[in-house]
Amino acid sequence: MPNLLLELRSEEIPARMQRKAAGDLKKLVTDALVEAGLSYEGAREYWTPRRLALDIHGLTARSADVREERKGPRTDANEKAIEGFLRGAGLSSVSEAQVVSDPKKGDFYVAVISKPGRATEEIVTDIMPGIIRDFPWPKSMRWGKASSKPGALRWVRPLQSIVCTFGPEHEETTVIPFEIDGITASNITYGHRFHAPEPITVRRFDDYAANLEKAKVILDAERRKDIILHDARDIAFANGLELVEDEGLLEEVSGLVEWPQVLMGSFEEDYLSIPSEIIRLTIKTNQKCFVTRKQGEETLSNKFILVSNIQASDGGKEIVHGNGKVVRARLSDALHFWKRDQGNLPDLETLTASAAKFGLDINKPLDQRMAKLDALDVTFHAKLGTQGARVARIRTLAKELADITGADAALVDRAAVLAKADLRTEAVGEFPELQGLMGRKYAVLQGEDASVAAAIEDHYKPQGPSDRVPEDKVAITTALADKLDTLIGFWAIDEKPTGSKDPFALRRAALGVVRILLERKVRLPLRATTKDIDLLSFFHDRLKVYLRDQGARHDLIDAVLTPDADDLLMVARRVEALTAFITSEDGKNLLAGTKRATQLLAAEEKKGTVIADGVSPALLKLDAEKELFAVISGASKDASDAVAGEDFRSAMEALSKLRGPVDRFFEDVLVNDEDAAIRANRLALLRLIREATGTVADFSKISG
């Protein structure tokens, strides 16, 4: 079957946009082809800095003929109805319609519409200009003389050429020469900008990819990544070092080169006095280079690895030299930031009031930065005040939480006061992603307690489902205070997440609270802490997401999560115990019996059937109902006592005693007895089953 090759070649596409753009191109083209009546065996997208390519193989040569019967009005319908039918069916008169008789409905018109299939070349010519013109780039531009005209083509960078060939796997292919804004599709592409700028004639994907490689272009991005990674590892190993791997940087660098050449540069060892995190970010951010370290060690070496797009005749010496100059200049700046942050601020006399407000030691550099943050009235949010006001709130909340977490109150207070201080350091000003981490380093340098230093870094954590959770009690307390203050504040000003929009990362903050409470086993009454039922419901939503990600069934979560449940750790423990119970044989059978009891009871309640206020032993006539009544009281008390003692597994075991009596009750007893008193008494017995199991979970919400 024929194959379709498509290439859209342009000036350099930003690396961060390439992978998604290639995926978008594949989806848009294949969806349009299928919509037009074509089918295909497979499709794969490719991308380099200068091109998006698509290989669709096993594509049908034309769409199938379509015959459609469209039913119209009765033959005796009014004239307007008939005219509307003819117009919709594309018929000029009723003589072109067929008349079909129905014994029940009478005679009516039917239009037989035949649509002949279309050649794939014609379909591609029709769909491609619209796909290119409406392509969903995050940002696009116009260029050249045509850019001033209304409706001019927009692309991420100037589009230079289009390849579009179609044909069988082993025969000649044809060009599908669609045109858009003066660019006509052809079978001509170009290789590496410097090494092979000459035109290349291609027929189909295999020779296209092979010819590009000869022209110093590796089309497959995953292969470029693999080359870069392995060459970088090898050159590091050859120098007695190991590569500090970075998947995000690897993805970006593979999108900057078509012919990757891995080289090693160096900088003066004096710069290694700068924290490794700053060195790594400086080199990564400014030069897109990898750092290395001695094998088996954590500290960095003074060698870095760069990836060039040029196979230089001098072996890359000039490229390495040029990159080294820039790296050294950036590290010089970083060293300046690092030293400045450890010195005194020049305007200490203006900071005394802020220092007094927070109990800061004006002789310590990090304390000075906190005082400066407050004195400058740096805004946190227009409706929530300054960063200084926020730190004051976190401090108050952390003091309350320390009683719950068991953390040292004095250390918690110190951590809360200094947690945001590094926002005024020059290192964090240059690299905002280092906030917290730099605060910890500066805290250690000025002799803070290890728990305080750890809390300054960890109070932002966890920042996602895979991020680590604080372990130290001071850090746990500060992290909870930080996240709860954020949530309480934004709820108070009605800035809540809506749909997919969450500009203040409130879902992440709530998930962070959930993870800390559950993974560090913290008992926190959220409703009393937040004083907001709606916010408690938001925590419930995040808890559900977390527990489902851990493998819990949604119905079991719903069975134990009541609207006023504010001890999330206890909810999680209930779910865990219920999961273990409901998968056991006793649990499965008790669930079936309990659901039967609750459904029958609910149906009778809905009908208004009389149900006794309590069970009368004198009205129990059969052994099965006597046995159930005898067992249920003890089981209910044992389950309630176990729940009160937060021993949910024992509560489940207590309920398991009901399994046999409940089964025998439904085998031997007719609930809806003719005697109204006996019926009311037996319904009251069913209510006892519902109440007993309800001490642990709402069994009616459990599926199965």
Side-chain angles (χ1 to χ4, degrees):
M1 293 180 72
N3 301 331
L4 178 70
L5 168 65
L6 177 69
E7 181 201 66
L8 304 173
R9 188 178 64 90
S10 68
E11 293 292 330
E12 275 72 6
I13 305 166
R16 67 184 182 280
M17 298 182 187
Q18 293 168 18
R19 183 181 291 273
K20 182 178 185 303
D24 288 342
L25 180 64
K26 182 176 80 169
K27 186 176 191 311
L28 289 168
V29 173
T30 54
D31 284 358
L33 293 175
V34 171
E35 180 69 22
L38 300 174
S39 62
Y40 63 96
E41 292 177 359
R44 185 177 172 188
E45 72 275 29
Y46 298 86
W47 62 93
T48 79
R50 298 177 62 216
R51 66 200 80 221
L52 302 178
L54 185 58
D55 171 32
I56 302 178
H57 53 274
L59 182 63
T60 46
R62 64 182 293 111
S63 61
D65 297 340
V66 177
R67 185 179 185 276
E68 175 190 351
E69 290 190 0
R70 187 174 299 177
K71 186 176 179 181
R74 286 167 51 101
T75 54
D76 57 357
N78 64 62
E79 190 174 335
K80 285 190 176 181
I82 295 174
E83 286 177 356
F85 160 66
L86 295 174
R87 192 164 48 250
L91 304 182
S92 56
S93 71
V94 290
S95 63
E96 296 177 3
Q98 296 180 6
V99 176
V100 176
S101 297
D102 186 308
K104 295 182 179 178
K105 298 181 180 178
D107 296 342
F108 56 90
Y109 290 116
V110 171
V112 178
I113 303 170
S114 296
K115 295 181 180 178
R118 301 168 67 203
T120 297
E121 293 93 325
E122 182 184 342
I123 293 171
V124 172
T125 298
D126 280 355
I127 67 171
M128 283 310 305
I131 289 173
I132 294 172
R133 193 174 291 281
D134 299 328
F135 199 80
W137 291 109
K139 291 184 178 180
S140 57
M141 62 180 289
R142 295 178 294 180
W143 63 93
K145 294 180 180 179
S147 63
S148 60
K149 298 177 182 178
L153 175 64
R154 301 183 68 93
W155 200 247
V156 62
R157 295 292 185 271
L159 188 62
Q160 296 177 326
S161 68
I162 301 171
V163 169
C164 189
T165 66
F166 179 69
E169 190 173 352
H170 301 295
E171 299 175 20
E172 275 306 310
T173 57
T174 60
V175 172
I176 304 179
F178 64 86
E179 185 269 339
I180 179 167
D181 273 31
I183 303 174
T184 302
S186 69
N187 59 352
I188 303 296
T189 189
Y190 296 83
H192 192 285
R193 182 189 293 278
F194 303 113
H195 292 309
E198 300 81 12
I200 302 169
T201 302
V202 299
R203 294 189 300 278
R204 56 183 61 84
F205 179 78
D206 288 346
D207 72 281
Y208 164 74
N211 284 332
L212 279 180
E213 186 143 349
K214 290 176 185 176
K216 309 294 191 208
V217 174
I218 295 174
L219 185 64
D220 188 340
E222 295 304 321
R223 190 164 154 239
R224 292 198 305 276
K225 286 175 66 173
D226 192 60
I227 290 170
I228 294 167
L229 180 60
H230 284 86
D231 285 0
R233 286 173 176 168
D234 289 347
I235 196 172
F237 183 78
N239 285 270
L241 305 169
E242 64 182 21
L243 176 72
V244 177
E245 297 185 15
D246 186 324
E247 176 61 30
L249 180 58
L250 180 62
E251 173 81 8
E252 183 177 12
V253 170
S254 72
L256 297 174
V257 296
E258 292 192 317
W259 191 248
Q261 305 295 306
V262 177
L263 304 167
M264 177 173 278
S266 65
F267 54 86
E268 288 75 14
E269 291 192 355
D270 290 349
Y271 290 122
L272 294 177
S273 63
I274 307 169
S276 295
E277 295 85 356
I278 296 181
I279 295 174
R280 184 176 179 179
L281 268 177
T282 298
I283 293 176
K284 171 182 176 178
T285 304
N286 292 293
Q287 286 304 102
K288 313 302 179 192
C289 294
F290 297 86
V291 293
T292 63
R293 60 192 168 210
K294 291 183 180 179
Q295 293 178 6
E297 296 184 11
E298 287 298 317
T299 55
L300 298 184
S301 79
N302 68 325
K303 307 288 186 182
F304 64 91
I305 291 176
L306 62 104
V307 183
S308 171
N309 192 37
I310 299 174
Q311 190 171 333
S313 58
D314 65 353
K317 290 181 181 178
E318 280 301 313
I319 296 171
V320 168
H321 176 70
N323 276 267
K325 285 176 64 176
V326 178
V327 165
R328 282 188 285 276
R330 295 291 179 260
L331 288 176
S332 178
D333 291 342
L335 182 60
H336 177 70
F337 298 150
W338 171 242
K339 289 180 177 178
R340 281 276 297 262
D341 286 340
Q342 297 174 56
N344 290 331
L345 292 173
D347 54 351
L348 293 182
E349 68 280 357
T350 67
L351 306 179
T352 53
S354 293
K357 184 193 304 184
F358 290 99
L360 297 165
D361 184 346
I362 205 67
N363 295 310
K364 293 183 175 181
L366 199 57
D367 291 57
Q368 293 173 22
R369 272 69 186 175
M370 178 57 221
K372 186 73 171 179
L373 184 70
D374 179 66
L376 288 174
D377 286 334
V378 176
T379 300
F380 168 62
H381 184 280
K383 296 181 180 179
L384 293 174
T386 65
Q387 286 282 9
R390 183 174 184 232
V391 170
R393 292 196 303 270
I394 292 173
R395 187 183 187 187
T396 300
L397 186 52
K399 182 179 181 181
E400 298 174 10
L401 294 175
D403 292 335
I404 295 170
T405 62
D408 184 293
L411 296 180
V412 166
D413 186 69
R414 182 67 172 159
V417 165
L418 293 179
K420 306 297 180 183
D422 68 356
L423 295 178
R424 291 305 306 168
T425 62
E426 295 195 36
V428 172
E430 181 72 10
F431 300 113
E433 56 266 61
L434 291 181
Q435 57 189 276
L437 187 147
M438 294 311 302
R440 178 177 191 162
K441 290 186 178 297
Y442 294 134
V444 170
L445 285 171
Q446 70 177 36
E448 297 297 332
D449 186 279
S451 290
V452 171
I456 292 172
E457 178 181 3
D458 289 355
H459 83 281
Y460 290 108
K461 296 183 178 298
Q463 294 196 26
S466 60
D467 194 16
R468 67 178 177 84
V469 175
E471 296 183 21
D472 185 278
K473 287 184 178 180
V474 176
I476 289 169
T477 309
T478 313
L480 284 172
D482 177 67
K483 291 168 178 57
L484 287 170
D485 173 75
T486 297
L487 290 159
I488 293 167
F490 282 105
W491 245 251
I493 62 173
D494 199 27
E495 289 278 6
K496 306 168 187 175
T498 56
S500 61
K501 296 181 179 179
D502 187 8
F504 303 109
L506 301 181
R507 291 188 181 97
R508 187 176 70 186
L511 180 60
V513 171
V514 169
R515 286 191 61 199
I516 291 172
L517 297 182
L518 270 55
E519 295 177 31
R520 297 295 174 252
K521 298 178 172 48
V522 177
R523 303 285 304 279
L524 177 64
L526 278 172
R527 187 169 59 176
T529 304
T530 63
K531 300 176 177 64
D532 191 313
I533 291 294
D534 185 50
L535 181 51
L536 179 61
S537 175
F538 185 68
F539 278 115
H540 286 178
D541 291 340
R542 295 303 97 198
L543 175 66
K544 291 178 182 179
V545 171
Y546 175 81
L547 291 177
R548 285 199 295 266
D549 287 345
Q550 299 297 307
R553 282 169 37 182
H554 69 88
D555 58 324
L556 301 188
I557 300 171
D558 290 340
V560 303
L561 188 59
T562 59
D564 60 348
D566 71 346
D567 187 340
L568 303 191
L569 180 60
M570 289 301 101
V571 172
R573 287 179 176 172
R574 281 176 180 259
V575 172
E576 181 183 2
L578 183 58
T579 299
F581 178 64
I582 218 66
T583 53
S584 68
E585 199 61 31
D586 279 347
K588 290 175 185 175
N589 289 327
L590 180 60
L591 173 63
T594 301
K595 287 178 77 72
R596 185 175 176 183
T598 55
Q599 288 167 359
L600 197 160
L601 182 62
E604 295 303 317
E605 286 174 334
K606 189 174 182 180
K607 290 190 291 187
T609 305
V610 175
I611 303 171
D613 292 335
V615 175
S616 170
L619 292 175
L620 299 174
K621 302 300 181 183
L622 302 176
D623 290 343
E625 58 184 329
K626 292 176 182 177
E627 179 193 14
L628 177 59
F629 181 62
V631 171
I632 202 167
S633 299
S636 181
K637 183 180 184 305
D638 290 345
S640 295
D641 290 346
V643 167
E646 297 173 359
D647 184 354
F648 301 113
R649 289 189 179 275
S650 294
M652 301 298 173
E653 290 173 8
L655 291 181
S656 68
K657 298 173 186 175
L658 293 174
R659 173 201 166 174
V662 168
D663 288 347
R664 284 187 288 276
F665 177 84
F666 282 112
E667 288 172 7
D668 299 349
V669 178
L670 177 66
V671 175
N672 286 321
D673 193 90
E674 292 180 359
D675 186 317
I678 292 176
R679 179 172 64 246
N681 200 55
R682 288 174 178 172
L683 288 172
L685 194 53
L686 296 187
R687 188 164 56 200
L688 287 183
I689 297 174
R690 184 172 68 185
E691 291 171 353
T693 55
T695 59
V696 172
D698 185 346
F699 275 50
S700 67
K701 293 183 177 179
I702 304 175
S703 59

